[in-house]
Amino acid sequence: MKDTEENEGGGGKVGAKKSEKDQSWIPKIIKKRVCTTFVESSFSNGGLCQCGGVRETHGSIATGDYFGAAIVSQWDSAQHSSEYPTDAFGELEFAGAGRRHSHFLRLSCDTPPQIIYTLMTAHWGLPSPNLVVSVVGGEGHEKVKTWVKDVLRNGLVRAAQSTGAWILTGGLREGVGRCVGEAVRDHGAAAPSLSQKKVIALGLPPWGLVHNRQQLVNAQGSFPARYYVQNTSRDSCCLDNNYQAFLLVDDGSVGRRGGETAFRANLEDYISHQRTGIWGSGSIEIPVLCMLISGEAKMLKRVDLSLRKGTPWLVLSGSGPAADLISEILRDLSSVPMSPTSPPAEGEGVEGPSAELRDRAREKVKRYFPAEADLEKLVDRILNIYQSSDLITVFHGEQEGPDDFDTVLLKALVRASKRVSSEASEYTEELKLAVAWNRVDIAKSELFNGDIQWKYEDLEDSMTDALINDKPQFVRLFCENGLNILDYLTYRRMECLYRSLSDSSLAYNLLQRRLSERQGLAGSVPNLDEPGSTLLKSPQSPLTGPASAKELSLYEVSRLLWDLLGDVCQPFYYGPLGLDHSTSTRRAIKQVNKLLLGECPYREQRCLSPWSSLFTWAVLQNRSEMAVYFWEMAGESVLSALSGCKILRELSKLESETETKVSMKELAQRFENLAQDVFSACYQSSESRSFTLLIRKSPVWGGATCLQMATVADARLFFSHDGVQSLLSQIWWGDMERSTEVWKLALNFFLPPLIYTDLIGFREQEEELKNVEVLHGRDTDSLDGNDATVFSLADIVQNEEDAEEYRALKANLKGSSPSTPKRPFAVLRWRQFWFAPVTSFLGNVLMYFLFLCLFAYVLLVDFKPPPPGGPSTLELVLYFWVFTLVCEEIRQTFFVGSTTVLQRMRNYIQDMWNKCDLTAIILFSLGLTCRMFPWSYEFGRAVMALDFMVFTLRLIHIFAIHKQLGPKIIILGKMMKDAFFFLFFLAVWLMAYGVANQALLYSYDPRPDWIFRRVFYRPYLHIFGQIPIHEMDADKLQEVSCTDNTTLIEAGAEPCMSTYANWLVVILLVIYLLVTNILLVNLLIAMFSYTFSKVQEHSDTYWKFQRYNLIVEYHSRPCLAPPFIIISHLHLFIKRYIRRIPSVKIRHFVLELRGRKASRLNTWEAIQKENLLSAHNKRHRESDTARLKRTSVKVDSVLKQMSEIRDHDRRLRTLETELEYCSSALSWMVEALSQSNLIKATRPPPVLRDLTPLSPTS
């Protein structure tokens, strides 16, 4: 497909070679026809064969066989021509046309149509059609009427664009074929590039009629063949350059029409048995409609043969003889009775039509075709056509106009489908056609207007078609009109939807990789290199095929979602598959293979969260409109939007196509905006419930919370919302007031008794207990009312001690005691201060400064020699301090989180500051080890000095919490990347100058250290102005002891400076300083300025996102700072491994709601989302674009009504004329009868009354 597009776009040598290689098989399979028997034409004096070719072009044997030629009176293609490998195929370039190449192929009229259809769709890259309109008639130099051109331009091509149709014509620059080509060209110029791909014009001319056909002949194929067209303004038999492909049908004749008719009919019949949609996944077969424009007498045979195959026809009445004859026959003979005989079988003639019917048909045929000799055969054909009138739709173009042409096409095909399938409902077939064409407007106006009561069974297949082929408007329409998604979406159908993914999509390749892994473990790896290998595609029906272990299952989907969403979610679909979340991958694969080899009972189960599952399915395919609709229907709107954002951003990192990558990022940003908008509406409604929404554990999304998903999705805009920051601030300050100054915290930290004074404000104990009681004990549900209750830290169970006391408090609340137990004031106030994250942060900062002071003092003053002289007491204290830091890092690595040990280690090492901590600890361990031995003492001291720098740089992370310093840290990190690119350019220029300068100044100096100094170090110092001019300029050269003796120089003597070309040294110095100090340094400043302005513009957003990570870190830390943190570690060890008290802080900021409270919260969130969407729709309806659109629709409606009024006026005038004629005739009859003696009148004739007095008067 891509090779084809490259050829079409440029026709380069590489693309031509690929296409030539891909199509080299064509002559082996597809043949041409050549006349091999000379049958003399009676009009050529013996020089021409009846095939149209001259005598010299026929073989000598056939030409010499005069006896054989004499007994043959009629040339027949099947008998008198032979097949040979085709010699005309490839790509066609119209000279001077300036457009992409067209495909062409010369083929025999007996070629099987399935080969040609596969060639067009699989090798030429033409998209499979949703409709085929075969335009016949109007050939030759016959002038096409103006209204017919309008129908083709404004009706047919527009309908083809909206339905994704193929248009089949003769493909020549004459008659109707030229009009269709011009209409396609005009559509391509006016329509957007996306819709141009949907209009496929396919030409099927007879090979012997094509002008300049010898330019196309090349036995190896033409890539491309240049085709010259002359007199393009006049009708000719040249190929039209507005067609995408040409099938040059060869029956062995030259200059004769009609040789392509049989193949064209066979191709239409074959396409009509293929299914629409991706991979043939549509609910209907491809509809084929023949469109008759004008036509001669021989066209009646074509219509008759096609009707016998059940192909529907659309006849344009008023366009020409054959079309007018058929429309008049259908209109005038409907009142004439047929014979009572049964309808004829296929292949038989009409049996015994009534004499009156045959006579009237003969009159009409004679009127339209008076010169035809075999009149009775034409009458038989027209009567056969009349018997198949239910397959024919007459379009009165002059009266109806081209605006409703697509609706006319739909009605015509519905009539045909009713005749073919007697059991099919008219509305069901019409719906399937509307879905295949993606015409939701027709479905709404004709089918879902309230007159039809749709059942689930009627919509099921069409729903599958709409889902697979990305028609979200139909999905919405079906769900609003009787389709229950709970009944529709089973796990079997979910798997089938994933199997329908396009093989060019990224999700397909990722699922295929997971399927290969599972099959590889099962010992049944398919060969991926075989052409046409599609692991995800089932050879059975997409919805009813039996399952096997070789097909895609929910396990591959679960693995893919696990890879994209990460450890924040538990694996999806493990419940239906009977897997445990703690099961290893290898064991899970074995269980899944064993399950799939059985009956798979889970596939008949309903999907527990159908909307969320469909949302994930749509997001993986980057289907924006459908994904947004499923998000609107799914619950947990904020979390669903953030999950879609995360999936899309991960997919964009793996996507190689630039356009697709950009669309994924845009859709991800759209979902992040939706999450922020919904949460903003929730926060405005109720602050406390919006806090609960952020930390609520979701059963649908694998136990994730909104904050966790926003973190992994890098949703900085969501984190910058005031509601999220309000929750974080409340968690950060604990039960203390947020307005507390830092100096008060520090004073209470060093003087703990001050916490019992009013220096720091705390929330009251009663309020805390009330919130605990409301959320966890009694039935006064705070999620029901629109309250503004301050969120309590009891919701997130801040630490282990809180958990224990909460359990005791809960037990007391459930007991019979009417009074609520209270903690002692001293214990409560102590815990409120020390267990707040801000206190833990302050303690860590102060103790870390003290640690750095101790480290610096030991390194500078008290660094004793190796044992037994050292280390000193303070140095031992330093070692113990670092040991407590190591213990804390071990706790963060192995004892935080609920995932496996390897996943915890991977999560730990991914953080940049954890890498910094690990580096500092490793360097300290190395320095400590080396300083204990005399031989490595100095090396150990040097390592300690470097390690002090690393520990000091760790301070940067601590100050990320500061609103002004936090963004500057981000700017600094991005500037480091800019500096890296600057240093690359600088190093290239510095080395170029340094080597040249060294070579010019010193002819020979083999000392490596001095070479390094003069090549790199000295030019680097030149940038900062340190230029030793006395060592470079010969005029200012000082007297030094040097030598030019090579032996002495190698012994270590100073070499003398070369004065040759010293002027060049000065010039190089000037150029070097100009480039480095002006160009490169200013480039660095410009890069820094851009980075600063870019980050500073969004500094608040960056800081708020970074602040969350710091709050989570210090919320999880023990309240004591190193080195006293060892006490907390011992306390935790006793509780976890001796007393066996489980931790409730393994996962941070998680609140699990069940039952009534969870359903109320979901309902409240859904209401806020509905209000938001209603407001958005209202703004959209009131926008200027929507108003202009509605005005345009109204104007079109008025114009249509005016057209109908004019039509009614024309009909009334015609009726008045006829009435006037009838009145005159009756008057004449009355007058004649009154003057005759045949009738004796008993009274005089009536007199016409004057009706004007009956009109209203003023």
Side-chain angles (χ1 to χ4, degrees), residues 515 518-519 524 535-537 547-552 596:
L515 182 59
R518 178 170 64 82
Q519 292 183 347
S524 58
L535 295 178
L536 301 187
K537 310 300 176 187
S548 71
K550 293 184 179 181
E551 294 178 352
L552 174 74
L596 294 178

Side-chain angles (χ1 to χ4, degrees), residues 37 71 166 247 258 368 370 383 735 739 859 866 871 937 946 1028 1117 1186 1215 1252:
T37 304
I71 64 174
W166 285 6
L247 298 178
Y368 280 98
L383 290 175
D735 288 334
S739 59
L859 196 60
Y937 170 78
L946 291 176
R1117 283 196 175 192
L1215 184 61
T1252 51

Side-chain angles (χ1 to χ4, degrees), residues 40 73 147 298 374 464 570 702 768 792 918 1100:
E40 182 178 338
S73 60
W147 69 267
K298 61 182 179 180
D374 198 352
T464 304
Q570 293 177 351
E768 172 75 14
S792 172
L918 197 59
D1100 188 62

